[in-house]
Amino acid sequence: EGKLNPEKFVLDAMYKAQRYGQKSGKGFYTYDEKRRHQRDPTAEALIQQVWKTNGVQAKTVSEEEIIDNLYLPVVNEGFKCLEEGMAIRASDVDVCCVFGPVAPL
């Protein structure tokens, strides 16, 4: 509740380390004066430490799995909207997907 927990959450660890992103020149990446990013071993080590503390292990995910995890829930919700009458036509759902938030929350 309003307190940082950098041992448990990567974003909290980044904040504690004053890694605010482009405005500070460092975040998950480092940024040059033209805001071009490059990988940052310090940030990667910070992430690895938080993961280690919490017993998280990195895993390889295929491109197909990423697409399925991002888009299939959106497609399923679109079908539910049609079934429940919230949308009249499939094109109504298309408009929502184009102009509405579709990123996983």
Side-chain angles (χ1 to χ4, degrees):
E1 294 188 309
K3 294 185 180 181
L4 291 178
N5 191 345
E7 292 78 31
K8 187 171 183 180
F9 301 110
V10 170
L11 289 177
D12 288 358
M14 291 289 187
Y15 184 83
K16 181 179 178 189
Q18 297 180 336
R19 302 185 70 86
Y20 306 128
Q22 290 181 6
K23 68 181 175 182
S24 67
K26 59 185 180 178
F28 287 94
Y29 302 96
T30 55
Y31 300 90
D32 65 18
E33 63 282 344
K34 293 186 179 181
R35 293 190 172 188
R36 291 179 296 221
H37 70 280
Q38 63 183 27
R39 289 179 71 161
D40 184 0
T42 303
E44 291 176 6
L46 187 70
I47 294 166
Q48 292 293 330
Q49 181 57 47
V50 173
W51 286 358
K52 183 179 179 183
T53 300
N54 291 286
V56 175
Q57 292 183 345
K59 70 175 192 173
T60 302
V61 181
S62 72
E63 186 176 316
E64 183 178 352
E65 287 177 284
I66 293 169
I67 291 168
D68 287 352
N69 286 328
L70 289 174
Y71 291 109
L72 290 183
V74 175
V75 171
N76 288 337
E77 285 301 315
F79 278 113
K80 286 181 187 176
C81 288
L82 289 168
E83 286 176 351
E84 295 172 5
M86 293 174 66
I88 299 170
R89 299 173 295 278
S91 61
D92 297 336
V93 175
D94 292 343
V95 169
C96 291
C97 288
V98 170
F99 294 108
V102 295
L105 302 176

PDB file of all heavy atoms in Angstrom, residues 48-83:
ATOM      1  N   GLN A  48      17.534  -9.733 -12.939  1.00  0.00           N
ATOM      2  CA  GLN A  48      17.916 -11.091 -12.547  1.00  0.00           C
ATOM      3  C   GLN A  48      17.906 -11.264 -11.028  1.00  0.00           C
ATOM      4  O   GLN A  48      17.483 -12.310 -10.520  1.00  0.00           O
ATOM      5  CB  GLN A  48      19.308 -11.438 -13.107  1.00  0.00           C
ATOM      6  CG  GLN A  48      19.364 -11.563 -14.605  1.00  0.00           C
ATOM      7  CD  GLN A  48      18.589 -12.752 -15.132  1.00  0.00           C
ATOM      8  OE1 GLN A  48      18.459 -13.768 -14.465  1.00  0.00           O
ATOM      9  NE2 GLN A  48      18.056 -12.621 -16.334  1.00  0.00           N
ATOM     10  N   GLN A  49      18.345 -10.245 -10.307  1.00  0.00           N
ATOM     11  CA  GLN A  49      18.371 -10.327  -8.843  1.00  0.00           C
ATOM     12  C   GLN A  49      16.963 -10.420  -8.268  1.00  0.00           C
ATOM     13  O   GLN A  49      16.692 -11.221  -7.383  1.00  0.00           O
ATOM     14  CB  GLN A  49      19.119  -9.131  -8.238  1.00  0.00           C
ATOM     15  CG  GLN A  49      19.205  -9.187  -6.729  1.00  0.00           C
ATOM     16  CD  GLN A  49      19.870 -10.453  -6.219  1.00  0.00           C
ATOM     17  OE1 GLN A  49      20.917 -10.859  -6.708  1.00  0.00           O
ATOM     18  NE2 GLN A  49      19.251 -11.102  -5.235  1.00  0.00           N
ATOM     19  N   VAL A  50      16.049  -9.608  -8.785  1.00  0.00           N
ATOM     20  CA  VAL A  50      14.659  -9.654  -8.302  1.00  0.00           C
ATOM     21  C   VAL A  50      14.062 -11.019  -8.618  1.00  0.00           C
ATOM     22  O   VAL A  50      13.394 -11.630  -7.780  1.00  0.00           O
ATOM     23  CB  VAL A  50      13.814  -8.516  -8.913  1.00  0.00           C
ATOM     24  CG1 VAL A  50      12.339  -8.672  -8.551  1.00  0.00           C
ATOM     25  CG2 VAL A  50      14.334  -7.162  -8.456  1.00  0.00           C
ATOM     26  N   TRP A  51      14.308 -11.511  -9.835  1.00  0.00           N
ATOM     27  CA  TRP A  51      13.798 -12.832 -10.201  1.00  0.00           C
ATOM     28  C   TRP A  51      14.357 -13.905  -9.271  1.00  0.00           C
ATOM     29  O   TRP A  51      13.622 -14.771  -8.802  1.00  0.00           O
ATOM     30  CB  TRP A  51      14.164 -13.165 -11.635  1.00  0.00           C
ATOM     31  CG  TRP A  51      13.373 -12.431 -12.672  1.00  0.00           C
ATOM     32  CD1 TRP A  51      12.356 -11.541 -12.475  1.00  0.00           C
ATOM     33  CD2 TRP A  51      13.540 -12.518 -14.079  1.00  0.00           C
ATOM     34  NE1 TRP A  51      11.890 -11.076 -13.677  1.00  0.00           N
ATOM     35  CE2 TRP A  51      12.594 -11.659 -14.670  1.00  0.00           C
ATOM     36  CE3 TRP A  51      14.401 -13.228 -14.900  1.00  0.00           C
ATOM     37  CZ2 TRP A  51      12.485 -11.513 -16.042  1.00  0.00           C
ATOM     38  CZ3 TRP A  51      14.296 -13.079 -16.268  1.00  0.00           C
ATOM     39  CH2 TRP A  51      13.341 -12.234 -16.829  1.00  0.00           C
ATOM     40  N   LYS A  52      15.661 -13.859  -9.018  1.00  0.00           N
ATOM     41  CA  LYS A  52      16.301 -14.864  -8.159  1.00  0.00           C
ATOM     42  C   LYS A  52      15.693 -14.840  -6.761  1.00  0.00           C
ATOM     43  O   LYS A  52      15.391 -15.881  -6.185  1.00  0.00           O
ATOM     44  CB  LYS A  52      17.806 -14.603  -8.095  1.00  0.00           C
ATOM     45  CG  LYS A  52      18.569 -15.615  -7.296  1.00  0.00           C
ATOM     46  CD  LYS A  52      20.051 -15.305  -7.298  1.00  0.00           C
ATOM     47  CE  LYS A  52      20.802 -16.319  -6.459  1.00  0.00           C
ATOM     48  NZ  LYS A  52      22.234 -16.005  -6.381  1.00  0.00           N
ATOM     49  N   THR A  53      15.498 -13.644  -6.219  1.00  0.00           N
ATOM     50  CA  THR A  53      14.911 -13.488  -4.889  1.00  0.00           C
ATOM     51  C   THR A  53      13.525 -14.126  -4.810  1.00  0.00           C
ATOM     52  O   THR A  53      13.144 -14.672  -3.782  1.00  0.00           O
ATOM     53  CB  THR A  53      14.816 -11.992  -4.518  1.00  0.00           C
ATOM     54  OG1 THR A  53      16.129 -11.435  -4.533  1.00  0.00           O
ATOM     55  CG2 THR A  53      14.186 -11.786  -3.159  1.00  0.00           C
ATOM     56  N   ASN A  54      12.793 -14.077  -5.926  1.00  0.00           N
ATOM     57  CA  ASN A  54      11.418 -14.581  -5.949  1.00  0.00           C
ATOM     58  C   ASN A  54      11.285 -15.966  -6.572  1.00  0.00           C
ATOM     59  O   ASN A  54      10.168 -16.434  -6.787  1.00  0.00           O
ATOM     60  CB  ASN A  54      10.525 -13.577  -6.688  1.00  0.00           C
ATOM     61  CG  ASN A  54      10.358 -12.309  -5.895  1.00  0.00           C
ATOM     62  OD1 ASN A  54       9.646 -12.283  -4.904  1.00  0.00           O
ATOM     63  ND2 ASN A  54      11.051 -11.251  -6.294  1.00  0.00           N
ATOM     64  N   GLY A  55      12.398 -16.595  -6.891  1.00  0.00           N
ATOM     65  CA  GLY A  55      12.356 -17.946  -7.449  1.00  0.00           C
ATOM     66  C   GLY A  55      11.834 -18.015  -8.873  1.00  0.00           C
ATOM     67  O   GLY A  55      11.315 -19.048  -9.294  1.00  0.00           O
ATOM     68  N   VAL A  56      11.973 -16.923  -9.613  1.00  0.00           N
ATOM     69  CA  VAL A  56      11.507 -16.884 -10.998  1.00  0.00           C
ATOM     70  C   VAL A  56      12.639 -17.307 -11.915  1.00  0.00           C
ATOM     71  O   VAL A  56      13.785 -16.891 -11.738  1.00  0.00           O
ATOM     72  CB  VAL A  56      11.042 -15.454 -11.382  1.00  0.00           C
ATOM     73  CG1 VAL A  56      10.677 -15.366 -12.852  1.00  0.00           C
ATOM     74  CG2 VAL A  56       9.881 -15.033 -10.499  1.00  0.00           C
ATOM     75  N   GLN A  57      12.313 -18.152 -12.894  1.00  0.00           N
ATOM     76  CA  GLN A  57      13.301 -18.558 -13.888  1.00  0.00           C
ATOM     77  C   GLN A  57      12.826 -18.133 -15.263  1.00  0.00           C
ATOM     78  O   GLN A  57      11.652 -18.290 -15.599  1.00  0.00           O
ATOM     79  CB  GLN A  57      13.505 -20.075 -13.854  1.00  0.00           C
ATOM     80  CG  GLN A  57      14.162 -20.559 -12.579  1.00  0.00           C
ATOM     81  CD  GLN A  57      14.414 -22.047 -12.618  1.00  0.00           C
ATOM     82  OE1 GLN A  57      13.878 -22.773 -13.446  1.00  0.00           O
ATOM     83  NE2 GLN A  57      15.241 -22.520 -11.706  1.00  0.00           N
ATOM     84  N   ALA A  58      13.747 -17.594 -16.033  1.00  0.00           N
ATOM     85  CA  ALA A  58      13.414 -17.202 -17.409  1.00  0.00           C
ATOM     86  C   ALA A  58      13.108 -18.442 -18.225  1.00  0.00           C
ATOM     87  O   ALA A  58      13.657 -19.518 -17.975  1.00  0.00           O
ATOM     88  CB  ALA A  58      14.579 -16.436 -18.024  1.00  0.00           C
ATOM     89  N   LYS A  59      12.223 -18.293 -19.196  1.00  0.00           N
ATOM     90  CA  LYS A  59      11.923 -19.401 -20.084  1.00  0.00           C
ATOM     91  C   LYS A  59      11.821 -18.877 -21.513  1.00  0.00           C
ATOM     92  O   LYS A  59      11.528 -17.696 -21.730  1.00  0.00           O
ATOM     93  CB  LYS A  59      10.646 -20.131 -19.691  1.00  0.00           C
ATOM     94  CG  LYS A  59       9.371 -19.373 -19.921  1.00  0.00           C
ATOM     95  CD  LYS A  59       8.169 -20.242 -19.598  1.00  0.00           C
ATOM     96  CE  LYS A  59       6.894 -19.587 -20.100  1.00  0.00           C
ATOM     97  NZ  LYS A  59       5.751 -20.453 -19.953  1.00  0.00           N
ATOM     98  N   THR A  60      12.062 -19.740 -22.425  1.00  0.00           N
ATOM     99  CA  THR A  60      11.974 -19.383 -23.830  1.00  0.00           C
ATOM    100  C   THR A  60      10.523 -19.498 -24.275  1.00  0.00           C
ATOM    101  O   THR A  60       9.854 -20.487 -23.972  1.00  0.00           O
ATOM    102  CB  THR A  60      12.849 -20.320 -24.683  1.00  0.00           C
ATOM    103  OG1 THR A  60      14.193 -20.220 -24.205  1.00  0.00           O
ATOM    104  CG2 THR A  60      12.814 -19.936 -26.140  1.00  0.00           C
ATOM    105  N   VAL A  61      10.046 -18.469 -24.965  1.00  0.00           N
ATOM    106  CA  VAL A  61       8.674 -18.457 -25.455  1.00  0.00           C
ATOM    107  C   VAL A  61       8.724 -18.244 -26.966  1.00  0.00           C
ATOM    108  O   VAL A  61       9.417 -17.345 -27.440  1.00  0.00           O
ATOM    109  CB  VAL A  61       7.863 -17.324 -24.785  1.00  0.00           C
ATOM    110  CG1 VAL A  61       6.433 -17.321 -25.266  1.00  0.00           C
ATOM    111  CG2 VAL A  61       7.909 -17.452 -23.278  1.00  0.00           C
ATOM    112  N   SER A  62       7.981 -19.066 -27.684  1.00  0.00           N
ATOM    113  CA  SER A  62       7.978 -18.948 -29.142  1.00  0.00           C
ATOM    114  C   SER A  62       7.172 -17.732 -29.585  1.00  0.00           C
ATOM    115  O   SER A  62       6.328 -17.217 -28.848  1.00  0.00           O
ATOM    116  CB  SER A  62       7.388 -20.202 -29.782  1.00  0.00           C
ATOM    117  OG  SER A  62       5.988 -20.250 -29.570  1.00  0.00           O
ATOM    118  N   GLU A  63       7.428 -17.291 -30.796  1.00  0.00           N
ATOM    119  CA  GLU A  63       6.672 -16.175 -31.360  1.00  0.00           C
ATOM    120  C   GLU A  63       5.183 -16.507 -31.408  1.00  0.00           C
ATOM    121  O   GLU A  63       4.339 -15.657 -31.123  1.00  0.00           O
ATOM    122  CB  GLU A  63       7.197 -15.864 -32.768  1.00  0.00           C
ATOM    123  CG  GLU A  63       6.596 -14.638 -33.380  1.00  0.00           C
ATOM    124  CD  GLU A  63       7.217 -14.304 -34.732  1.00  0.00           C
ATOM    125  OE1 GLU A  63       8.450 -14.371 -34.861  1.00  0.00           O
ATOM    126  OE2 GLU A  63       6.447 -13.980 -35.651  1.00  0.00           O
ATOM    127  N   GLU A  64       4.870 -17.739 -31.730  1.00  0.00           N
ATOM    128  CA  GLU A  64       3.461 -18.166 -31.792  1.00  0.00           C
ATOM    129  C   GLU A  64       2.793 -18.060 -30.416  1.00  0.00           C
ATOM    130  O   GLU A  64       1.651 -17.609 -30.314  1.00  0.00           O
ATOM    131  CB  GLU A  64       3.362 -19.596 -32.323  1.00  0.00           C
ATOM    132  CG  GLU A  64       1.943 -20.075 -32.494  1.00  0.00           C
ATOM    133  CD  GLU A  64       1.860 -21.485 -33.071  1.00  0.00           C
ATOM    134  OE1 GLU A  64       2.887 -22.043 -33.474  1.00  0.00           O
ATOM    135  OE2 GLU A  64       0.743 -22.019 -33.098  1.00  0.00           O
ATOM    136  N   GLU A  65       3.498 -18.464 -29.361  1.00  0.00           N
ATOM    137  CA  GLU A  65       2.937 -18.360 -28.009  1.00  0.00           C
ATOM    138  C   GLU A  65       2.682 -16.906 -27.616  1.00  0.00           C
ATOM    139  O   GLU A  65       1.675 -16.594 -26.987  1.00  0.00           O
ATOM    140  CB  GLU A  65       3.884 -18.991 -26.989  1.00  0.00           C
ATOM    141  CG  GLU A  65       3.943 -20.496 -27.016  1.00  0.00           C
ATOM    142  CD  GLU A  65       4.968 -21.012 -26.025  1.00  0.00           C
ATOM    143  OE1 GLU A  65       6.171 -20.925 -26.324  1.00  0.00           O
ATOM    144  OE2 GLU A  65       4.549 -21.501 -24.954  1.00  0.00           O
ATOM    145  N   ILE A  66       3.602 -16.029 -27.987  1.00  0.00           N
ATOM    146  CA  ILE A  66       3.437 -14.610 -27.673  1.00  0.00           C
ATOM    147  C   ILE A  66       2.196 -14.062 -28.371  1.00  0.00           C
ATOM    148  O   ILE A  66       1.358 -13.398 -27.754  1.00  0.00           O
ATOM    149  CB  ILE A  66       4.688 -13.810 -28.082  1.00  0.00           C
ATOM    150  CG1 ILE A  66       5.874 -14.219 -27.206  1.00  0.00           C
ATOM    151  CG2 ILE A  66       4.428 -12.306 -27.966  1.00  0.00           C
ATOM    152  CD1 ILE A  66       7.205 -13.691 -27.681  1.00  0.00           C
ATOM    153  N   ILE A  67       2.059 -14.357 -29.647  1.00  0.00           N
ATOM    154  CA  ILE A  67       0.903 -13.888 -30.415  1.00  0.00           C
ATOM    155  C   ILE A  67      -0.388 -14.449 -29.830  1.00  0.00           C
ATOM    156  O   ILE A  67      -1.364 -13.723 -29.641  1.00  0.00           O
ATOM    157  CB  ILE A  67       1.064 -14.255 -31.904  1.00  0.00           C
ATOM    158  CG1 ILE A  67       2.206 -13.426 -32.505  1.00  0.00           C
ATOM    159  CG2 ILE A  67      -0.238 -14.036 -32.666  1.00  0.00           C
ATOM    160  CD1 ILE A  67       2.651 -13.875 -33.874  1.00  0.00           C
ATOM    161  N   ASP A  68      -0.387 -15.742 -29.526  1.00  0.00           N
ATOM    162  CA  ASP A  68      -1.580 -16.356 -28.936  1.00  0.00           C
ATOM    163  C   ASP A  68      -1.961 -15.693 -27.612  1.00  0.00           C
ATOM    164  O   ASP A  68      -3.136 -15.419 -27.359  1.00  0.00           O
ATOM    165  CB  ASP A  68      -1.364 -17.852 -28.707  1.00  0.00           C
ATOM    166  CG  ASP A  68      -1.383 -18.660 -29.992  1.00  0.00           C
ATOM    167  OD1 ASP A  68      -1.711 -18.103 -31.060  1.00  0.00           O
ATOM    168  OD2 ASP A  68      -1.043 -19.863 -29.931  1.00  0.00           O
ATOM    169  N   ASN A  69      -0.970 -15.436 -26.774  1.00  0.00           N
ATOM    170  CA  ASN A  69      -1.248 -14.847 -25.462  1.00  0.00           C
ATOM    171  C   ASN A  69      -1.712 -13.405 -25.552  1.00  0.00           C
ATOM    172  O   ASN A  69      -2.458 -12.928 -24.694  1.00  0.00           O
ATOM    173  CB  ASN A  69      -0.023 -14.947 -24.563  1.00  0.00           C
ATOM    174  CG  ASN A  69       0.209 -16.356 -24.060  1.00  0.00           C
ATOM    175  OD1 ASN A  69      -0.722 -17.116 -23.855  1.00  0.00           O
ATOM    176  ND2 ASN A  69       1.466 -16.708 -23.883  1.00  0.00           N
ATOM    177  N   LEU A  70      -1.281 -12.688 -26.582  1.00  0.00           N
ATOM    178  CA  LEU A  70      -1.683 -11.293 -26.725  1.00  0.00           C
ATOM    179  C   LEU A  70      -3.008 -11.128 -27.447  1.00  0.00           C
ATOM    180  O   LEU A  70      -3.811 -10.277 -27.080  1.00  0.00           O
ATOM    181  CB  LEU A  70      -0.599 -10.505 -27.480  1.00  0.00           C
ATOM    182  CG  LEU A  70       0.693 -10.262 -26.718  1.00  0.00           C
ATOM    183  CD1 LEU A  70       1.724  -9.613 -27.631  1.00  0.00           C
ATOM    184  CD2 LEU A  70       0.446  -9.390 -25.507  1.00  0.00           C
ATOM    185  N   TYR A  71      -3.236 -11.909 -28.487  1.00  0.00           N
ATOM    186  CA  TYR A  71      -4.381 -11.649 -29.358  1.00  0.00           C
ATOM    187  C   TYR A  71      -5.592 -12.553 -29.137  1.00  0.00           C
ATOM    188  O   TYR A  71      -6.718 -12.107 -29.339  1.00  0.00           O
ATOM    189  CB  TYR A  71      -3.950 -11.709 -30.830  1.00  0.00           C
ATOM    190  CG  TYR A  71      -3.059 -10.560 -31.187  1.00  0.00           C
ATOM    191  CD1 TYR A  71      -1.709 -10.738 -31.422  1.00  0.00           C
ATOM    192  CD2 TYR A  71      -3.563  -9.265 -31.239  1.00  0.00           C
ATOM    193  CE1 TYR A  71      -0.880  -9.664 -31.715  1.00  0.00           C
ATOM    194  CE2 TYR A  71      -2.751  -8.191 -31.533  1.00  0.00           C
ATOM    195  CZ  TYR A  71      -1.413  -8.399 -31.778  1.00  0.00           C
ATOM    196  OH  TYR A  71      -0.614  -7.338 -32.066  1.00  0.00           O
ATOM    197  N   LEU A  72      -5.393 -13.792 -28.730  1.00  0.00           N
ATOM    198  CA  LEU A  72      -6.552 -14.677 -28.564  1.00  0.00           C
ATOM    199  C   LEU A  72      -7.539 -14.178 -27.503  1.00  0.00           C
ATOM    200  O   LEU A  72      -8.750 -14.267 -27.715  1.00  0.00           O
ATOM    201  CB  LEU A  72      -6.104 -16.109 -28.290  1.00  0.00           C
ATOM    202  CG  LEU A  72      -5.463 -16.817 -29.493  1.00  0.00           C
ATOM    203  CD1 LEU A  72      -5.112 -18.254 -29.136  1.00  0.00           C
ATOM    204  CD2 LEU A  72      -6.337 -16.763 -30.733  1.00  0.00           C
ATOM    205  N   PRO A  73      -7.073 -13.627 -26.380  1.00  0.00           N
ATOM    206  CA  PRO A  73      -8.057 -13.076 -25.427  1.00  0.00           C
ATOM    207  C   PRO A  73      -8.878 -11.936 -26.042  1.00  0.00           C
ATOM    208  O   PRO A  73     -10.072 -11.808 -25.751  1.00  0.00           O
ATOM    209  CB  PRO A  73      -7.193 -12.573 -24.269  1.00  0.00           C
ATOM    210  CG  PRO A  73      -5.953 -13.390 -24.340  1.00  0.00           C
ATOM    211  CD  PRO A  73      -5.720 -13.622 -25.809  1.00  0.00           C
ATOM    212  N   VAL A  74      -8.264 -11.122 -26.878  1.00  0.00           N
ATOM    213  CA  VAL A  74      -8.978 -10.025 -27.526  1.00  0.00           C
ATOM    214  C   VAL A  74     -10.028 -10.578 -28.482  1.00  0.00           C
ATOM    215  O   VAL A  74     -11.175 -10.127 -28.511  1.00  0.00           O
ATOM    216  CB  VAL A  74      -7.996  -9.091 -28.274  1.00  0.00           C
ATOM    217  CG1 VAL A  74      -8.742  -8.017 -29.045  1.00  0.00           C
ATOM    218  CG2 VAL A  74      -7.020  -8.462 -27.289  1.00  0.00           C
ATOM    219  N   VAL A  75      -9.636 -11.589 -29.251  1.00  0.00           N
ATOM    220  CA  VAL A  75     -10.570 -12.226 -30.191  1.00  0.00           C
ATOM    221  C   VAL A  75     -11.729 -12.857 -29.423  1.00  0.00           C
ATOM    222  O   VAL A  75     -12.899 -12.686 -29.792  1.00  0.00           O
ATOM    223  CB  VAL A  75      -9.840 -13.283 -31.047  1.00  0.00           C
ATOM    224  CG1 VAL A  75     -10.817 -14.102 -31.863  1.00  0.00           C
ATOM    225  CG2 VAL A  75      -8.806 -12.604 -31.955  1.00  0.00           C
ATOM    226  N   ASN A  76     -11.419 -13.544 -28.332  1.00  0.00           N
ATOM    227  CA  ASN A  76     -12.471 -14.187 -27.535  1.00  0.00           C
ATOM    228  C   ASN A  76     -13.440 -13.170 -26.944  1.00  0.00           C
ATOM    229  O   ASN A  76     -14.654 -13.392 -26.935  1.00  0.00           O
ATOM    230  CB  ASN A  76     -11.859 -15.036 -26.422  1.00  0.00           C
ATOM    231  CG  ASN A  76     -11.212 -16.302 -26.953  1.00  0.00           C
ATOM    232  OD1 ASN A  76     -11.547 -16.776 -28.032  1.00  0.00           O
ATOM    233  ND2 ASN A  76     -10.262 -16.829 -26.206  1.00  0.00           N
ATOM    234  N   GLU A  77     -12.923 -12.046 -26.444  1.00  0.00           N
ATOM    235  CA  GLU A  77     -13.792 -11.007 -25.911  1.00  0.00           C
ATOM    236  C   GLU A  77     -14.672 -10.409 -27.005  1.00  0.00           C
ATOM    237  O   GLU A  77     -15.834 -10.084 -26.765  1.00  0.00           O
ATOM    238  CB  GLU A  77     -12.979  -9.911 -25.223  1.00  0.00           C
ATOM    239  CG  GLU A  77     -12.430 -10.313 -23.879  1.00  0.00           C
ATOM    240  CD  GLU A  77     -13.491 -10.723 -22.881  1.00  0.00           C
ATOM    241  OE1 GLU A  77     -14.523 -10.019 -22.766  1.00  0.00           O
ATOM    242  OE2 GLU A  77     -13.313 -11.754 -22.214  1.00  0.00           O
ATOM    243  N   GLY A  78     -14.124 -10.283 -28.209  1.00  0.00           N
ATOM    244  CA  GLY A  78     -14.912  -9.792 -29.335  1.00  0.00           C
ATOM    245  C   GLY A  78     -16.093 -10.705 -29.623  1.00  0.00           C
ATOM    246  O   GLY A  78     -17.222 -10.241 -29.843  1.00  0.00           O
ATOM    247  N   PHE A  79     -15.840 -12.012 -29.610  1.00  0.00           N
ATOM    248  CA  PHE A  79     -16.930 -12.972 -29.832  1.00  0.00           C
ATOM    249  C   PHE A  79     -17.973 -12.893 -28.722  1.00  0.00           C
ATOM    250  O   PHE A  79     -19.177 -12.960 -28.973  1.00  0.00           O
ATOM    251  CB  PHE A  79     -16.398 -14.403 -29.957  1.00  0.00           C
ATOM    252  CG  PHE A  79     -15.883 -14.732 -31.321  1.00  0.00           C
ATOM    253  CD1 PHE A  79     -14.530 -14.973 -31.521  1.00  0.00           C
ATOM    254  CD2 PHE A  79     -16.732 -14.799 -32.416  1.00  0.00           C
ATOM    255  CE1 PHE A  79     -14.043 -15.272 -32.785  1.00  0.00           C
ATOM    256  CE2 PHE A  79     -16.264 -15.107 -33.682  1.00  0.00           C
ATOM    257  CZ  PHE A  79     -14.913 -15.343 -33.864  1.00  0.00           C
ATOM    258  N   LYS A  80     -17.513 -12.733 -27.473  1.00  0.00           N
ATOM    259  CA  LYS A  80     -18.453 -12.603 -26.354  1.00  0.00           C
ATOM    260  C   LYS A  80     -19.327 -11.364 -26.517  1.00  0.00           C
ATOM    261  O   LYS A  80     -20.526 -11.398 -26.238  1.00  0.00           O
ATOM    262  CB  LYS A  80     -17.698 -12.526 -25.029  1.00  0.00           C
ATOM    263  CG  LYS A  80     -17.118 -13.841 -24.566  1.00  0.00           C
ATOM    264  CD  LYS A  80     -16.406 -13.655 -23.239  1.00  0.00           C
ATOM    265  CE  LYS A  80     -15.672 -14.899 -22.825  1.00  0.00           C
ATOM    266  NZ  LYS A  80     -14.894 -14.684 -21.587  1.00  0.00           N
ATOM    267  N   CYS A  81     -18.719 -10.269 -26.976  1.00  0.00           N
ATOM    268  CA  CYS A  81     -19.495  -9.024 -27.195  1.00  0.00           C
ATOM    269  C   CYS A  81     -20.579  -9.248 -28.242  1.00  0.00           C
ATOM    270  O   CYS A  81     -21.702  -8.751 -28.099  1.00  0.00           O
ATOM    271  CB  CYS A  81     -18.576  -7.891 -27.628  1.00  0.00           C
ATOM    272  SG  CYS A  81     -17.528  -7.269 -26.294  1.00  0.00           S
ATOM    273  N   LEU A  82     -20.259  -9.990 -29.281  1.00  0.00           N
ATOM    274  CA  LEU A  82     -21.263 -10.298 -30.308  1.00  0.00           C
ATOM    275  C   LEU A  82     -22.350 -11.209 -29.754  1.00  0.00           C
ATOM    276  O   LEU A  82     -23.544 -10.972 -29.957  1.00  0.00           O
ATOM    277  CB  LEU A  82     -20.597 -10.945 -31.529  1.00  0.00           C
ATOM    278  CG  LEU A  82     -19.742 -10.013 -32.383  1.00  0.00           C
ATOM    279  CD1 LEU A  82     -18.922 -10.820 -33.375  1.00  0.00           C
ATOM    280  CD2 LEU A  82     -20.613  -8.994 -33.102  1.00  0.00           C
ATOM    281  N   GLU A  83     -21.949 -12.257 -29.036  1.00  0.00           N
ATOM    282  CA  GLU A  83     -22.910 -13.205 -28.470  1.00  0.00           C
ATOM    283  C   GLU A  83     -23.865 -12.531 -27.485  1.00  0.00           C
ATOM    284  O   GLU A  83     -25.043 -12.852 -27.431  1.00  0.00           O
ATOM    285  CB  GLU A  83     -22.172 -14.340 -27.744  1.00  0.00           C
ATOM    286  CG  GLU A  83     -21.513 -15.333 -28.666  1.00  0.00           C
ATOM    287  CD  GLU A  83     -20.712 -16.379 -27.887  1.00  0.00           C
ATOM    288  OE1 GLU A  83     -20.520 -16.237 -26.658  1.00  0.00           O
ATOM    289  OE2 GLU A  83     -20.268 -17.345 -28.530  1.00  0.00           O
TER     290      GLU A  83
END
